[in-house]
Amino acid sequence: ASDEIRDIGIDEGLIWVVTDGGISNSDVRFGDWRSFSDKLPSKNTTCVAFSRDYVWIGTDKGVSRFDKLLEEWKDHVLPSVNDIVIVSETAWIATSDGIFRLDVDYDRITQIDVNLPSKNTIKAISIGDFIWFITDLGIVRYEKKLNSWKTYGLSDGIVSYDINDVIIDGSKIWLATSNGISIYDSVSDSWSEGTIYHNLLPSKNIKSLAIDGDNIWFLTEKGTSLYNNKTGSWRHFNSNNGLLDNSGQG
């Protein structure tokens, strides 16, 4: 195992920890740990996802699928996997060389034939009728009902392709980037720049975001800020008033 944790997930009382040196899980009730690094095609693991019958592990050599009932592993050789999202027992896999779909019922992998802004697909997110894929040169949205694709770029309101974090807030998607915030509104199908936040943040290089009711937390390279949507008030935290270090690494 390794100290560099890349992903964590909880499924049926088990916590799964993904590192650059393998994967382990633990029963949260008892705290006993098991390592599965020797079961994988590579110890360089990247992400974890869960479906009804399987645990899915991404590695730099493809996907490993763990059958919860039989406790057996099956490997699928693919380019380096960055993220996995499960939709109706189908795995959508974001890799360094495009998007792949793995249909469990047919045990079949298909590379998606779509004109991506970049084949280096970093993240996959499922929201309602859509699956979103973030690449290092733009964002692509797949609409399941219509089997259609749409691409969004800088001209559509995305402030930067250097995306540090993505969070979902109801019907909105928030991007934390090295050049500020972009917010997607599903009603208008449009992106907008978070200008009202940029003006009072200590830095536009936003490492991470969190939304808790009316509160929005911004973790930046120069400290952490808290904005309250209801009152419009700000609070700023840095090494002068409580933080050990200003440099956030969400």
Side-chain angles (χ1 to χ4, degrees), residues 7 20 28 83 89 110 113 141 144 148-150 160 180 190:
D7 199 8
D20 64 339
V28 295
D83 201 13
E89 292 299 301
T110 306
D113 184 18
R141 187 191 72 180
K144 291 177 280 187
S148 64
W149 296 81
K150 185 174 182 179
S160 171
S190 63

Side-chain angles (χ1 to χ4, degrees), residues 49-163:
F50 307 101
S51 60
R52 183 189 61 215
D53 299 322
Y54 301 100
V55 179
W56 303 79
I57 307 296
T59 80
D60 63 347
K61 294 184 179 178
V63 170
S64 288
R65 190 176 79 198
F66 177 69
D67 188 309
K68 300 178 192 177
L69 180 62
L70 301 178
E71 294 201 350
E72 294 177 350
W73 290 87
K74 181 166 185 178
D75 300 330
H76 303 272
V77 178
L78 289 171
S80 184
V81 174
N82 295 316
D83 201 13
I84 304 169
V85 65
I86 308 299
V87 181
S88 303
E89 292 299 301
T90 296
W92 292 79
I93 305 162
T95 81
S96 61
D97 192 32
I99 301 166
F100 293 79
R101 184 179 64 208
L102 199 162
D103 297 302
V104 174
D105 290 341
Y106 303 100
D107 199 23
R108 180 178 62 200
I109 294 180
T110 306
Q111 183 166 17
I112 304 303
D113 184 18
V114 60
N115 186 24
L116 297 171
S118 166
K119 285 193 172 184
N120 186 19
T121 314
I122 299 166
K123 192 167 181 63
I125 306 164
S126 177
I127 310 171
D129 293 327
F130 304 99
I131 306 174
W132 294 80
F133 298 93
I134 296 174
T135 80
D136 56 4
L137 289 175
I139 296 176
V140 179
R141 187 191 72 180
Y142 172 64
E143 186 169 359
K144 291 177 280 187
K145 287 183 177 179
L146 300 179
N147 191 30
S148 64
W149 296 81
K150 185 174 182 179
T151 301
Y152 303 85
L154 298 179
S155 61
D156 300 301
I158 295 171
V159 293
S160 171
Y161 295 143
D162 186 12
I163 297 170

